[in-house]
């Protein structure tokens, strides 16, 4: 039997949803820097917004567009520089695809985004959602789009049951979006759906009383609107412990290594890091990171005194962050090298001074480690506890600077 969400949307209902939503959008849309942008600006913003909050994206978007204002400027820039402007946004394959796609656009389309069917979809990193966004927002073509916000709104509006990530539910949501998108103002309508999901139909606390679609909404007129969409059972985040060695040499430079070009954080730089094994303490992990990744035996330094310590020592900092379904605690230990060994991994390495360190693109949690270590190394010694005795030879040169 056909359910409400599978039945075609009647012309009358469709018209009322479109009219009510567009009227609300006109009054309530946020003033975002990519509203009314060029097709290139729309494309960049849509790629940045994948898996990333609007507030996080805004400063990155502004800096990126200032440095790479056109497809040609992006295509001609070295990828290292593109990465530097992306560092901290996460999901770095997006930057690689954007850069590669810009080069293809210059080679085949004179640096313009093409409008012919199938052309945008063939670019690296452009899936059905991004193609729908570019076509509707930049070119005003009646293409639908479904992102996480739209999926939630549509599942509540039409009472769509089933796991949102399943192929069959996705197909139903896309079919609904396809029926709704109007021939006039498709871009405004798609942005309105996303804006409603961000501002009103929020995941845990939908503000149904001020929603323009309440009169048409299945969930909004049910006892618990959050019963949609269904939460997949058994999806829990998994805790993990990572440890990084913050190795400082006699000259006060810090050792960093470059990640392999592909995969998570591909091509970015980090302090030598391992995922701690079961039963391995974070300090043991940091020693292993130094040995296996950097090819150095090290001794740990007490963060307040910079004294070498045998046995337990506190980390300089702990940083909590999430990657996919992992809840990660990253420990960073101050260390100094004692002897060289053969590393298990051959990766590009650099001893970076504090000035140079900030020029290396790093993933967000590693950039937080960088900030912590530079803050510590620049802290004047008189801030340390007076009962502690400093051994001059243990003090990295940075610590001597006020
Ligand atoms: S009425 Fe409530 S549940 Fe329905 S779309 Fe609006 S905010 Fe979401």
């Amino acid at each position: 039997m056909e359910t409400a969400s599978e039945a075609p949307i009647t012309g009358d209902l469709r018209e009322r949803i479109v009219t009510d939503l567009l009227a609300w959008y006109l009054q309530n849309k946020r003033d975002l820097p990519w509203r009314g942008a060029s097709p290139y600006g729309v494309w960049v913003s849509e790629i940045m917004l994948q898996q990333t909050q609007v507030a996080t994206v805004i400063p990155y978007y502004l800096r990126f567009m200032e440095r790479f204002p056109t497809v040609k400027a992006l295509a001609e820039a070295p990828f290292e520089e593109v990465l530097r402007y992306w560092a901290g946004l996460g999901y770095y394959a997006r930057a690689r695809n954007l850069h590669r796609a810009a080069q293809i656009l210059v080679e085949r389309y004179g640096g313009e985004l093409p409008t012919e069917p199938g052309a945008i979809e063939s670019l690296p990193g452009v899936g059905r959602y991004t193609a729908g966004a570019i076509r509707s927002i930049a070119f005003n073509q009646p293409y639908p789009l479904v992102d996480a916000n739209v999926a939630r709104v549509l599942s509540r509006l039409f009472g769509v049951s089933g796991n949102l990530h399943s192929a069959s539910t996705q197909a139903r949501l896309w079919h609904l979006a396809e029926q709704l998108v109007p021939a006039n103002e498709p871009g405004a309508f798609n942005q309105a759906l996303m804006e409603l999901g961000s501002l009103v139909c929020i995941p845990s606390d939908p503000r149904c009383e001020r929603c323009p679609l309440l009169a048409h909404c299945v969930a909004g007129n049910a006892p618990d609107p959050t019963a949609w969409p269904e939460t997949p059972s058994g999806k829990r985040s998994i805790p993990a412990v990572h440890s990084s060695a913050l190795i400082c040499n006699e000259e006060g430079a810090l050792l960093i290594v470059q990640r392999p070009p592909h995969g998570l954080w591909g091509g970015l730089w980090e302090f030598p890091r391992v995922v701690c094994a079961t039963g391995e303490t974070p300090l043991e992990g940091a020693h292993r990171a130094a040995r296996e990744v950097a090819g150095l035996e090290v001794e740990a330094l007490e963060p307040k005194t910079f004294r070498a310590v045998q046995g337990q020592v506190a980390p300089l900092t702990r940083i909590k962050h999430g990657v996919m379904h992992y809840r990660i605690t990253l420990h960073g230990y101050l260390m100094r090298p004692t002897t060289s060994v053969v590393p298990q991994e051959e990766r590009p390495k650099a001893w970076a001074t504090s000035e140079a360190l900030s020029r290396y693109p790093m993933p967000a949690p590693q950039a937080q480690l960088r900030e912590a270590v530079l803050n510590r190394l620049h802290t004047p010694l008189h801030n340390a506890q007076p009962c502690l005795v400093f051994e001059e030879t243990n003090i990295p040169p940075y610590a001597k600077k006020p």
Side-chain angles (χ1 to χ4, degrees):
M1 198 181 74
E2 202 174 51
T3 67
S5 67
E6 287 164 336
I9 305 170
T10 64
D12 185 39
L13 175 60
R14 180 176 167 277
E15 181 131 2
R16 280 184 287 138
I17 289 174
V18 170
T19 308
D20 292 349
L21 189 57
L22 282 174
W24 172 86
Y25 180 63
L26 207 60
Q27 295 293 319
N28 295 280
K29 67 178 172 188
R30 288 169 292 179
D31 185 18
L32 300 174
W34 45 86
R35 300 255 194 251
S38 65
Y40 168 63
V42 170
W43 173 43
V44 170
S45 69
E46 288 301 335
I47 299 291
M48 286 187 169
L49 285 164
Q50 289 168 13
Q51 320 277 350
T52 313
Q53 303 276 337
V54 165
T56 307
V57 167
I58 289 173
Y60 282 91
Y61 174 83
L62 292 172
R63 281 197 298 269
F64 196 92
M65 292 302 286
E66 193 179 338
R67 169 60 190 88
F68 313 111
T70 60
V71 173
K72 190 163 176 286
L74 177 59
E76 287 173 353
F79 179 59
E80 275 283 307
E81 193 180 0
V82 177
L83 258 189
R84 229 177 16 249
Y85 279 77
W86 201 275
L89 259 186
Y91 300 93
Y92 295 92
R94 294 183 298 176
R96 187 176 299 281
N97 284 333
L98 197 63
H99 188 234
R100 180 72 198 114
Q103 292 170 335
I104 293 171
L105 289 174
V106 168
E107 283 160 23
R108 297 189 199 155
Y109 301 101
E112 301 292 331
L113 270 92
T115 53
E116 59 259 38
I120 286 178
E121 290 81 350
S122 70
L123 295 172
V126 176
R128 191 175 178 187
Y129 163 78
T130 310
I134 296 170
R135 289 193 175 286
S136 62
I137 299 169
F139 299 131
N140 221 28
Q141 297 173 345
Y143 276 75
L145 58 75
V146 176
D147 70 348
N149 279 328
V150 174
R152 184 172 58 258
V153 171
L154 293 181
S155 78
R156 287 176 174 169
L157 188 56
F158 294 97
V160 177
S161 55
N163 179 350
L164 278 194
H165 301 292
S166 75
S168 60
T169 310
Q170 278 289 314
R172 280 157 70 190
L173 295 170
W174 275 95
H175 184 54
L176 288 167
E178 210 164 8
Q179 292 178 74
L180 284 175
V181 68
N184 59 333
E185 301 197 80
F189 178 78
N190 283 339
Q191 290 178 90
L193 267 181
M194 292 190 281
E195 199 77 333
L196 191 77
S198 290
L199 302 180
V200 177
C201 195
I202 46 190
S204 57
D205 185 22
R207 316 276 155 79
C208 300
E209 68 290 348
R210 50 177 152 112
C211 177
L213 302 184
L214 178 59
H216 322 296
C217 181
V218 171
N221 291 285
D224 178 13
T226 62
W228 290 269
E230 281 178 21
T231 319
S233 57
K235 198 178 175 203
R236 282 202 216 102
S237 59
I238 302 166
V241 177
H242 292 197
S243 204
S244 269
L246 310 170
I247 307 170
C248 190
N249 71 7
E250 290 286 304
E251 283 74 45
L254 287 149
L255 184 70
I256 50 174
V257 293
Q258 190 174 28
R259 292 192 53 74
H262 298 290
L264 181 67
W265 301 329
L268 297 187
W269 291 78
E270 63 181 358
F271 298 102
R273 178 184 60 88
V274 293
V275 179
C276 294
T278 310
E280 184 179 41
T281 67
L283 179 59
E284 289 166 346
H287 277 277
R288 184 162 64 84
R291 192 166 51 248
E292 294 182 359
V293 181
L296 290 171
E297 290 294 353
V298 291
E299 51 193 1
L301 302 179
E302 208 286 326
K304 284 185 182 149
T305 61
F306 298 113
R307 263 185 175 169
V309 176
Q310 303 300 321
Q312 276 313 307
V313 60
L316 173 72
T317 187
R318 291 183 193 87
I319 287 155
K320 291 186 183 294
H321 66 105
V323 174
M324 291 182 284
H325 55 291
Y326 289 100
R327 209 165 3 101
I328 297 170
T329 306
L330 168 65
H331 299 249
Y333 287 90
L334 276 177
M335 305 185 127
R336 69 176 178 190
T338 53
T339 48
S340 294
V341 293
V342 179
Q344 281 194 2
E345 303 177 28
E346 270 312 325
R347 292 211 226 151
K349 299 183 183 65
W351 286 100
T353 62
S354 89
E355 291 76 20
L357 200 55
S358 56
R359 292 201 293 272
Y360 286 86
M362 289 181 146
Q366 290 284 322
Q368 283 178 262
L369 275 188
R370 170 173 62 194
E371 198 178 324
V373 73
L374 291 180
N375 277 343
R376 181 63 199 101
L377 294 180
H378 283 299
T379 302
L381 292 180
H382 62 256
N383 281 357
Q385 294 175 16
C387 59
L388 297 172
V389 178
F390 295 101
E391 293 172 12
E392 192 65 21
T393 53
N394 283 352
I395 302 170
Y398 285 142
K400 295 176 185 166
K401 297 177 184 173

